[in-house]
Amino acid sequence: NPPGEAEIRTLVGRFQAVESEVRQLLRGALENGREHSLGMAMEALDSLREEKVEQALVAAYSGALDNAVAAIEEKAVSGDQVNPLVDSLDEKLRDAISKAEQSAQDAFRSVDKDNVDEKEDEAVQAFTDDAGRNWALGAYAGTQIRTLGRRATSRGIKDGVGVGTVEVSSHGTSYPECQRLEGKRFRATSAPEPPYHENCQHMLIPISG
C-alpha cells in the first residue's frame, strides 16, 4: 500500500459515513420532523470541517519521502511540496461541504412521501462537474482525497530522490495516458506525478540519488 494509505482511508470513510447519515436522516424527516432532521444533518456535515486533512496528506508525503531516502541510501533535502496540496484539498472539501449543506436544506424542506427517493440523492449533492454531472459528497470527497493523497506520495518520492532518477511503475494498463509512461525513467525533478487519471494505480519508484 502507498504510504499514508491508512490516513487517507480514514478521511475518505468519514465523508462517506456522513453522506450515509444525511441520507438516512432525509428518509426519516417526515416522521421525525423536517427541521429536527435537517438540524442533525447540518451538524453532521459541519463536523467534517474539523477533519484532519493536513495529517492525511502529510502522512502520505512523509512516508514516501522516508521510503525514497532509504531506497537510495542518501539524504535529500525536502521542501514544503505538500503544503499546496493540503491547501487545495482543504478548499475543495470545504466547498463541497458548503454545497452539500445547501443541497440538504433544499431537499429536507421539499421532501414529501412521493419524492423521497429523488430527494435523498439531491440532499447529498456536493459538486457539479463541467459535464453537468452531480457528484454526491462521499464520491466526490473520496476522489479528491485519494487523488491528492497519491500526489503527495509522488512528491515525497521526488523530494526523497532529489536530483536522481525515478521510474514509473508498470501494471499492464489499458489507459493510453499511462501506457506511454509505464517503465519510463525520469529525472525526479521533472517526473510526471501520479495519479494520471481517476483510480490510477501508478507510482514513482526511486532508482538513484
Side-chain angles (χ1 to χ4, degrees):
N1 289 332
E5 184 70 13
E7 290 81 0
I8 295 297
R9 287 178 184 269
T10 297
L11 187 56
V12 170
R14 275 287 295 134
F15 276 79
Q16 292 174 338
V18 168
E19 178 191 322
S20 179
E21 183 177 354
V22 172
R23 287 180 180 273
Q24 292 175 6
L25 286 166
L26 187 281
R27 296 196 72 84
L30 296 179
E31 179 180 350
N32 300 320
R34 296 171 190 265
E35 291 303 318
H36 173 72
S37 297
L38 175 58
M40 294 180 66
M42 291 296 103
E43 289 181 9
L45 288 165
D46 187 55
S47 71
L48 291 174
R49 293 189 170 91
E50 304 303 318
E51 289 301 312
K52 297 178 175 61
V53 171
E54 181 175 5
Q55 178 177 308
L57 293 198
V58 167
Y61 174 85
S62 299
L65 177 69
D66 293 343
N67 288 350
V69 168
I72 63 174
E73 297 183 344
E74 66 178 61
K75 182 65 178 174
V77 177
S78 64
D80 295 322
Q81 298 301 315
V82 74
N83 291 347
L85 297 179
V86 171
D87 292 341
S88 177
L89 181 58
D90 188 62
E91 180 180 359
K92 290 176 185 296
L93 295 182
R94 288 181 182 277
D95 287 347
I97 294 166
S98 295
K99 176 64 167 61
E101 287 174 336
Q102 184 60 57
S103 297
Q105 290 181 43
D106 293 343
F108 274 77
R109 289 171 177 158
S110 59
V111 68
D112 59 41
K113 61 183 180 63
D114 296 321
N115 67 7
V116 64
D117 291 336
E118 174 189 347
K119 294 300 177 181
E120 180 186 341
D121 289 334
E122 290 182 11
V124 294
Q125 288 179 8
F127 182 74
T128 302
D129 63 23
D130 292 339
R133 295 171 297 190
N134 291 315
W135 288 68
L137 178 63
Y140 176 73
T143 296
Q144 295 302 324
I145 294 166
R146 292 188 184 99
T147 296
L148 293 180
R150 184 60 65 88
R151 188 144 292 148
T153 298
S154 296
R155 293 194 182 180
I157 292 170
K158 289 172 69 173
D159 280 357
V161 174
V163 297
T165 303
V166 295
E167 180 180 304
V168 177
S169 61
S170 296
H171 307 279
T173 182
S174 60
Y175 286 91
E177 60 266 47
C178 294
Q179 285 181 331
R180 64 183 181 84
L181 295 173
E182 280 198 340
K184 290 193 174 179
R185 295 185 176 186
F186 299 88
R187 282 283 186 182
T189 52
S190 60
E193 297 177 352
Y196 305 124
H197 56 82
E198 187 177 343
N199 297 321
C200 180
Q201 298 301 308
H202 287 85
M203 296 182 63
L204 298 178
I205 302 169
I207 299 299
S208 64

